[in-house]
Amino acid sequence: MLDFIHHAAAARRAGLPTLLLLHGTGGDERSLLSVAEMILPDAAILSPRGKVLEHGMPRFFRRLAEGVFDLPDLHARTDELAAFVEAATAQYGLAGERLIAVGYSNGANMAGSLLLQHPTLLAGAVLLRAMVPFEPTQPPDLHGRRVLIAAGQFDSMVPAAQSHRLADLLTAYGAEVDFHTLPADHGLTNADLSLARSWLANV
Ligand code: MLT
């Protein structure tokens, strides 16, 4: 059932949420480990590798072009990942009820899709350079979920309107959204890390 290549680590300190790390295109299950260590040291980690290969680069779902998603694939991959997360948190004894996704780029889009399609799976999410994965036809209930969105002011892949639309959607569905635009492009910066660190300290 644990049918994703993944990395899992137990918490080194009690009382912390578990981080679900979701890498960007071309990353893998180790790409965000150093980020996790910087933003919430000692937390338990579940970090799957996306199963879709685009020219050999792992992703979490197929896209038809940059920023144009294959929606049937996205929905199926979201269900598949949610099932993996439930099985893995149970098997490893991770704090599944306090699971916070930390997603970057394609991984942030998958984290957004998990929120919209499986609204009770995550307690919250850190979405770094995220877009709207899809527009739900049925409004999910995201009350009690907390979301940090960090957009890049100079991001050439994610238009500002996309990040704002995502924040508006999640807010409309009841999530408590913290939205920040950083003076950055699509790549992560130290400002992303300090923002995520202080946000997580207060969740
Ligand atoms: C995506 O495909 O999810 C976005 O275009 C971000 C990326 O992975 O490049």
Side-chain angles (χ1 to χ4, degrees):
M1 185 61 211
L2 299 191
D3 51 355
F4 278 74
I5 296 170
H6 64 279
H7 171 82
R12 299 193 300 265
R13 190 152 51 92
L16 297 174
T18 295
L19 298 183
L20 172 66
L21 305 181
L22 300 173
H23 62 80
T25 302
D28 65 21
E29 67 280 9
R30 308 201 72 81
S31 300
L32 293 177
L33 295 182
S34 56
V35 167
E37 191 59 34
M38 283 185 269
I39 63 177
L40 195 63
D42 302 336
I45 283 168
L46 181 62
S47 184
R49 182 192 301 186
K51 286 187 184 182
V52 170
L53 289 180
E54 185 183 89
H55 308 300
M57 295 186 295
R59 290 173 50 82
F60 286 98
F61 56 88
R62 286 187 59 222
R63 63 179 163 184
L64 306 176
E66 202 170 277
V68 183
F69 303 148
D70 177 333
L71 292 181
D73 187 70
L74 170 60
H75 292 309
R77 302 277 176 192
T78 302
D79 285 346
E80 184 185 37
L81 184 62
F84 164 78
V85 168
E86 276 172 0
T89 49
Q91 176 152 335
Y92 292 120
L94 304 176
E97 76 285 0
R98 291 186 63 216
L99 191 61
I100 300 208
V102 177
Y104 167 61
S105 188
N106 180 248
N109 297 337
M110 176 46 96
S113 189
L114 285 172
L115 281 170
L116 297 173
Q117 200 163 310
H118 290 271
T120 58
L121 183 74
L122 302 173
V126 175
L127 305 179
L128 306 167
R129 311 297 184 273
M131 304 171 70
V132 177
F134 66 92
E135 299 265 350
T137 46
Q138 299 292 323
D141 181 0
L142 289 174
H143 286 93
R145 318 284 142 192
R146 299 191 56 184
V147 179
L148 170 66
I149 298 177
Q153 188 182 352
F154 311 113
D155 191 333
S156 52
M157 291 188 65
V158 181
Q162 276 282 324
S163 326
H164 283 104
R165 172 78 188 137
L166 179 62
D168 290 348
L169 265 185
L170 297 175
T171 304
Y173 298 143
E176 193 183 315
V177 178
D178 281 312
F179 183 91
H180 294 259
T181 301
L182 302 175
D185 60 20
H186 197 67
L188 293 183
T189 65
N190 284 335
D192 288 280
L193 302 179
S194 27
L195 180 63
R197 184 168 48 231
S198 46
W199 186 83
L200 283 164
N202 291 310
V203 167

